[in-house]
């Protein structure tokens, strides 16, 4: 009896040991089996999954120029932030998003309203659009900004000033309500808006900051800058067919499953923005600092390269002089001329390319520094304001230097167009004085025009290029104000002479010594005045422009007694 019981007890003990292991293995197997057959869209209701099965493919509108949201890349593919979101939503819902051939924003909006498209990514909800289009919750927000040309007066829209916007964008209605006195000029798309503004056909334009930055970089437009935040933001969601409310419900639920970190990663790939205010400010300041260092380094390379080219020209000239002893003078002169033209063309092409590459990031530095300083929603502290102001001042100084270098290079290469036309000097002088008044008032200097409107009619016509003459006068008046003292005066006069026409810019400022007058028209020579801003090529440009217009510039100055710069130009002979 005892022998029969022992095997049974051993069997029970073995079973008690093996049972927990078997139970754990069974639970693990069931868990793995359940994972293998789990539906990744279990967050959708049966009704929603049935709708997805009935509508597996969605037609999505695309634009070739709505960067960085939707655009056509160099290989002809549709790309952008909207495409990234569409791919992620496709993974979450099982829907397939098919982007249609690119059309304008206004055409896509009409197609969506007419059910020719199923949805449109990165679209702002407005009361007008909700009548024919359904909208999801926003998934990104970008501000709308005011753009102007570099060199034009900065500042907000003035009463009655026209402003350009792209067709179909919600900011157009905002401008009509907020700025009722400003005519709104509607263009076909954002690219047309920027080209019209860059070409001078309009004086102001409004775009979203992300799209403006993208297009200026990819279109190579370097003469525009951001001057103001107009108080309007694009809160962008997904527009869908209004007769498909189930689609809107599915997309809304899918958007909530895209976490903040993933949203930020998508935005950083295309816009580089940050949801944290302090982190955004810190990154922006670091970015501006790095960009400024790169600009300074690039400018240094340009200056070094320019000096190296000048040295090469000088060395080559000496070599040509030695060759003149062995060959005929005519052959050597022709060869020297050819070499000088090749060298000048090479230098001009290099400076043109370098200027273009430098102005684009420099305009971005100016635009973002002004947004940082003027953003009421993200105010900077006093230290940050001071740093941003230093960045803005340094960038503006560099922009003026780049433009002056380009003008000097074009004059030296004989590629600058100067056209002498008959013009009335009085209105031009009056405009120059009016533009310089703010600078004179800031410096405490009295600036006046020494001729009356009645005297304008008695002056003969002068033969000159109006644009280049105005450039010379701006430089002379600016110098007269800059090298003056508080309580001083600057006067602009004009009179007819028997041999032509004279314009004088006189002041009672610090004046010039005899040694300084001898070095006045030497490039990059500051005459020892390092305490004043400048780079020493403005008067060189003035002298060469006057010579190109058939005139000349004279200087009469004594140290401490002020200066008088005289422009002599040919007058148009009187008729009859």
């Amino acid at each position: 009896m005892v022998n029969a019981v022992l095997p049974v007890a051993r069997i029970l003990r073995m079973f008690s040991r093996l049972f927990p292991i078997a139970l754990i293995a069974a639970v693990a197997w069931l868990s793995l089996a359940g994972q293998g057959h789990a539906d990744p869209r279990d967050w959708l209701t049966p009704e929603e999954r049935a709708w997805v099965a009935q509508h597996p493919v969605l037609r999505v509108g695309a634009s070739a120029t709505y960067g960085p949201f939707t655009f056509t890349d160099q290989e002809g593919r549709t790309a952008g932030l909207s495409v990234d979101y569409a791919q992620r939503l496709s993974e979450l819902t099982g829907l397939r998003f098919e982007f249609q051939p690119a059309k304008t924003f206004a055409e896509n909006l009409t197609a969506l309203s007419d059910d020719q498209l199923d949805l449109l990514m990165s679209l702002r909800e407005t009361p007008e659009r909700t009548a024919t289009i359904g909208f999801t919750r926003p998934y990104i927000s970008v501000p709308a900004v005011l753009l102007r040309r570099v060199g034009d007066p900065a500042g907000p829209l003035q009463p009655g000033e026209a402003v350009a916007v792209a067709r179909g964008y919600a900011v157009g209605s905002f401008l009509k309500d907020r700025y009722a006195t400003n005519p709104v000029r509607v263009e076909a798309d954002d690219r047309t808006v920027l080209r019209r503004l860059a070409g001078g056909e309009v004086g102001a334009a409004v775009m979203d900051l992300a799209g403006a930055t993208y297009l200026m970089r990819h279109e190579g437009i370097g003469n525009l800058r951001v001057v103001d935040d107009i108080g309007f933001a694009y809160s962008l969601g997904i527009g869908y067919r209004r007769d498909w409310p189930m689609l809107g419900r599915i997309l809304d639920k899918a958007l909530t499953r895209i976490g903040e970190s993933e949203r930020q990663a998508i935005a950083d790939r295309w816009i580089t923005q940050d949801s944290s205010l302090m982190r955004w400010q810190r990154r922006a300041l670091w970015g501006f600092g790095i960009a400024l260092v790169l600009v300074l380094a690039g400018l240094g390379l340009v200056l070094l390269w320019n000096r190296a080219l000048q040295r090469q020209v000088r060395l080559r000239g000496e070599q040509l002089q030695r060759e003149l002893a062995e060959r005929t003078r005519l052959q050597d002169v022709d060869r020297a001329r050819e070499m000088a033209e090749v060298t000048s063309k090479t230098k001009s092409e290099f400076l043109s390319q370098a200027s273009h590459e430098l102005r684009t990031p420099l305009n971005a530095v100016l635009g973002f520094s002004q947004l940082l300083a003027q953003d009421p929603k993200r105010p900077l502290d006093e230290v940050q304001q001071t740093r941003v102001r230093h960045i803005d001042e340094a960038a503006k100084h560099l922009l003026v230097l780049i433009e002056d270098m380009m003008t000097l290079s074009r004059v030296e290469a004989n590629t600058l167009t100067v056209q002498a036309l008959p013009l009335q000097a009085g209105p031009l002088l009056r405009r120059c004085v009016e533009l310089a008044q703010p600078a004179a008032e800031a410096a405490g200097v009295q600036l006046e025009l020494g001729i009356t409107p009645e005297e304008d009619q008695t002056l003969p016509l002068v033969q000159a290029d109006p644009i280049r003459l105005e450039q010379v006068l701006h430089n002379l008046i600016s110098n007269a104000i800059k090298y003056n003292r508080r309580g001083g005066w600057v006067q602009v006069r004009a009179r007819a002479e028997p041999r032509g026409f004279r314009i004088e810019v006189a002041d009672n400022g610090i004046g010039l010594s005899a040694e300084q007058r001898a070095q006045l028209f030497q490039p990059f020579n500051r005459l020892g005045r390092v305490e004043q801003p400048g780079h020493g090529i403005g008067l060189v440009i003035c002298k060469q422009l006057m010579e190109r217009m058939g005139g000349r510039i004279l200087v009469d100055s004594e140290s401490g007694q002020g200066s008088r710069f005289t422009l002599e130009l040919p007058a148009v002979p009187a008729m009859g």
Side-chain angles (χ1 to χ4, degrees), residues 474-509:
H474 278 311
N475 192 291
L476 295 181
I477 296 173
S478 174
N479 284 349
I481 295 171
K482 181 167 58 176
Y483 299 111
N484 213 308
R485 57 177 67 90
R486 285 200 166 272
W489 54 264
V490 176
Q491 189 176 58
V492 181
R493 301 185 290 262
R495 68 177 185 271
E497 294 287 339
R499 293 179 298 176
F501 192 91
R502 282 196 169 201
I503 301 174
E504 293 182 355
V505 179
D507 66 80
N508 66 338

Side-chain angles (χ1 to χ4, degrees), residues 72-100:
T72 302
D73 63 16
Q74 295 179 348
E75 298 179 1
R77 298 173 303 187
T78 301
L81 181 144
S82 297
V83 177
D84 284 5
Y85 266 96
Q87 291 173 349
R88 186 68 182 99
L89 292 171
S90 179
E91 295 171 358
L92 290 169
T93 63
L95 292 165
R96 183 154 58 92
F97 291 67
E98 285 191 353
F99 281 86
Q100 305 301 299

Side-chain angles (χ1 to χ4, degrees), residues 244-473:
W244 284 0
M246 182 66 71
L247 174 59
R249 193 169 75 184
I250 294 171
L251 293 177
D252 259 328
K253 292 175 66 174
L255 286 172
T256 62
R257 302 184 71 82
I258 302 177
E260 182 62 29
S261 60
E262 187 175 0
R263 291 171 184 262
Q264 189 60 52
I266 295 175
D268 286 343
R269 281 199 295 272
W270 302 102
I271 303 178
T272 315
Q273 63 180 6
D274 198 325
S275 60
S276 170
L277 174 61
M278 295 303 296
R279 184 170 54 187
W280 181 84
Q281 292 177 346
R282 187 167 57 253
R283 286 183 179 179
L285 290 173
W286 272 105
F288 294 150
I290 293 172
L292 189 58
V293 169
L294 292 176
V295 170
L296 291 173
L299 185 59
L301 290 175
V302 171
L303 293 174
L304 290 175
W305 183 255
N306 187 51
R307 292 183 180 274
L309 287 176
Q310 292 177 348
R311 182 171 179 271
Q312 290 178 10
V313 172
R314 185 173 64 253
L315 293 176
R316 188 57 178 165
E318 295 173 357
Q319 181 181 353
L320 290 174
Q321 290 178 358
R322 291 193 295 268
E323 293 176 354
L324 285 174
E326 301 176 1
R327 302 183 182 184
T328 65
R329 183 177 181 278
L330 181 58
Q331 291 175 337
D332 288 340
V333 168
D334 290 341
R335 184 174 299 170
R337 184 183 300 111
E338 292 175 359
M339 293 300 298
E341 289 175 354
V342 170
T343 303
S344 179
K345 181 179 179 181
T346 301
K347 182 180 72 173
S348 298
E349 290 176 352
F350 173 79
L351 288 176
S352 178
Q353 181 69 20
S355 173
H356 174 75
E357 295 297 332
L358 288 172
R359 281 184 295 187
T360 298
L362 195 56
N363 285 327
V365 170
L366 283 168
F368 279 103
S369 66
Q370 292 172 9
L371 282 180
L372 275 176
Q374 300 172 6
D375 191 350
K377 298 180 180 179
R378 303 179 178 89
L380 303 178
D381 59 36
E382 185 176 354
V383 174
Q384 291 172 329
Q385 286 280 4
T386 301
R387 292 172 178 171
V388 169
R389 186 162 54 253
H390 288 165
I391 291 172
D392 189 74
E393 292 172 355
K396 288 179 179 176
H397 178 73
L398 290 175
L399 195 60
V400 172
L401 175 56
I402 291 170
E403 294 295 337
D404 284 349
M405 287 180 58
M406 283 303 304
T407 301
L408 180 61
S409 175
R410 291 173 62 195
V411 171
E412 292 178 346
N414 201 25
T415 60
L416 185 69
T417 302
V418 176
Q419 184 177 11
L421 301 171
L423 62 92
Q424 287 186 334
L428 186 145
L429 295 176
R430 203 171 304 280
R431 183 168 63 252
C432 292
V433 169
E434 290 174 354
L435 290 175
Q437 280 294 352
E441 293 174 2
V445 174
Q446 181 181 358
L447 173 62
E448 63 180 2
L449 179 62
I451 56 176
T452 64
E454 292 74 20
E455 293 174 331
D456 287 356
Q457 308 301 323
T458 65
L459 293 174
L461 297 178
V462 62
Q463 194 82 17
D465 186 317
I467 296 177
R468 302 307 171 190
L469 180 57
E470 186 170 346
Q471 181 178 355
V472 172
L473 286 169

Side-chain angles (χ1 to χ4, degrees), residues 443 445 475-486 488-490 507-512 516 520 525-539 557-558 560-563 565:
V445 174
N475 192 291
L476 295 181
I477 296 173
S478 174
N479 284 349
I481 295 171
K482 181 167 58 176
Y483 299 111
N484 213 308
R485 57 177 67 90
R486 285 200 166 272
W489 54 264
V490 176
D507 66 80
N508 66 338
I510 60 179
L512 297 167
Q516 289 174 325
L520 190 61
N525 190 334
R526 299 291 312 285
L527 306 179
R529 294 174 173 175
V530 296
E531 72 280 2
Q532 294 286 351
H535 37 76
I537 62 177
L539 287 177
S557 179
E558 294 293 335
Q561 301 299 318
S563 304
F565 285 79

Side-chain angles (χ1 to χ4, degrees), residues 121-189:
M121 304 292 294
S122 302
L123 185 64
R124 187 179 189 273
E125 182 177 0
T126 66
E128 295 81 4
R129 293 173 182 171
T130 53
T132 56
I133 301 172
F135 285 89
T136 68
R137 67 186 66 202
Y139 54 83
I140 193 167
S141 179
V142 291
V145 294
L146 180 65
L147 303 170
R148 294 190 186 276
R149 284 185 302 279
V150 174
D152 288 353
L157 283 174
Q158 300 302 312
E161 180 183 13
V163 57
V165 296
R167 186 182 306 280
Y169 288 175
V171 73
S173 300
F174 172 83
L175 289 172
K176 291 178 180 177
D177 293 339
R178 178 69 65 87
Y179 302 93
T181 62
N182 295 88
V184 177
R185 179 170 175 176
V186 180
E187 303 293 348
D189 51 29

